[in-house]
Amino acid sequence: MKNKLRELRAAKEWSQADLADKLGVSRQTINAIETEKYDPSLPLAFYFLGYAVLNPATNNIL
Amino acid sequence: MLYTAGTMNNKPNDPEECINLKKVSWRTDTKVNFWLFIAVVVGIANEILFHTIVPPLDGVLREDFLTWPVGIRLIIESVPLLAGLFWARSLARFIRGMDELHRRITIEAWLIAALATLGFLSIWPLLDAAGISASVYWATHFHGEFTDKPHFILGFWLLLDKPPSIFLTLCLLYAFYILGYFILIRRYK
């Protein structure tokens, strides 16, 4: 599944490890999603969305 | 329900802390595989003391063991199996704490390991009947004595020359799991 995670993460100047820590997943998971080798589950996709859009403390990136 | 990152702050369990030598954490490994260690050690002890393996360790207490009460023999033989069940419980807990990608890979790897072990132990008697272990035995022995080949490999090979023990089954299972894990993780790199 195509996604813009790498660009969005780069815009925040976060490393994969930073994002992984914030979301409570492994760095390999972030890498696999960015390289489009793994599609996140719906709950994890919601976590991404929540982190990017719904949580005001995170300084929206979308 | 509002999904926010605040609810996912716990660091997920990493399966490579138990199998990847570069990332290994002895604390995690001990926590997860303690009962596997107990099962393997007791299994080896049972093999050496009570069962026949290889000529130098030919069931030291085997004769006495057969005269002991059935209940005690059952308890002794069941210890590796019970330890294996406790190990399965701690492993399930560890898997539950992984993130979704690692959980998927680990469950797939265990599925492969279980099927490979089952297949191997099923097909072994057929290969044995075809003369595999006999030819290895005669290739590595000289008039009943070991040659200079590595003994642990011979011992492991000769373990297969009889009904499989829980020790052998656990060793095969873990070896196939590690193999399966490193094959599967390549898909996501």
Side-chain angles (χ1 to χ4, degrees), chain A residues 27-48:
Chain A
R27 194 196 56 75
Q28 289 95 326
T29 301
I30 300 294
N31 185 55
I33 293 170
E34 284 186 359
T35 52
E36 297 170 5
K37 290 181 176 171
Y38 175 69
D39 296 331
S41 67
L42 196 55
L44 182 58
F46 275 124
Y47 280 120
F48 275 114

Side-chain angles (χ1 to χ4, degrees), chain B residues 18-33:
Chain B
C18 294
I19 54 174
N20 188 340
L21 291 178
K22 289 178 187 168
K23 291 186 179 178
V24 74
S25 156
W26 295 113
R27 189 167 173 271
T28 307
D29 203 3
T30 308
K31 198 173 154 190
V32 177
N33 289 327

Side-chain angles (χ1 to χ4, degrees), chain A residues 22-26 28-29 32 37-38 40-41 44 46-47 50-51 54, chain B residues 2-5 7-10 12 23 99-102 104 187-189:
Chain A
K22 291 175 197 299
L23 290 170
V25 296
S26 64
Q28 289 95 326
T29 301
K37 290 181 176 171
Y38 175 69
S41 67
L44 182 58
F46 275 124
Y47 280 120
Y51 206 82
L54 301 178
Chain B
L2 183 64
Y3 287 91
T4 60
T7 57
M8 289 186 70
N9 279 338
N10 294 332
K23 291 186 179 178
D99 81 322
E100 57 184 53
L101 179 64
H102 279 150
R104 173 191 285 201
R187 284 187 60 191
Y188 300 103
K189 279 187 175 173

Side-chain angles (χ1 to χ4, degrees), chain B residues 113 117 120-121 156 160 167-177:
Chain B
T117 304
F120 188 87
L121 293 178
F156 194 79
L160 294 165
F167 157 68
L168 174 69
T169 308
L170 289 172
C171 287
L172 284 174
L173 198 60
Y174 210 74
F176 281 127
Y177 161 65

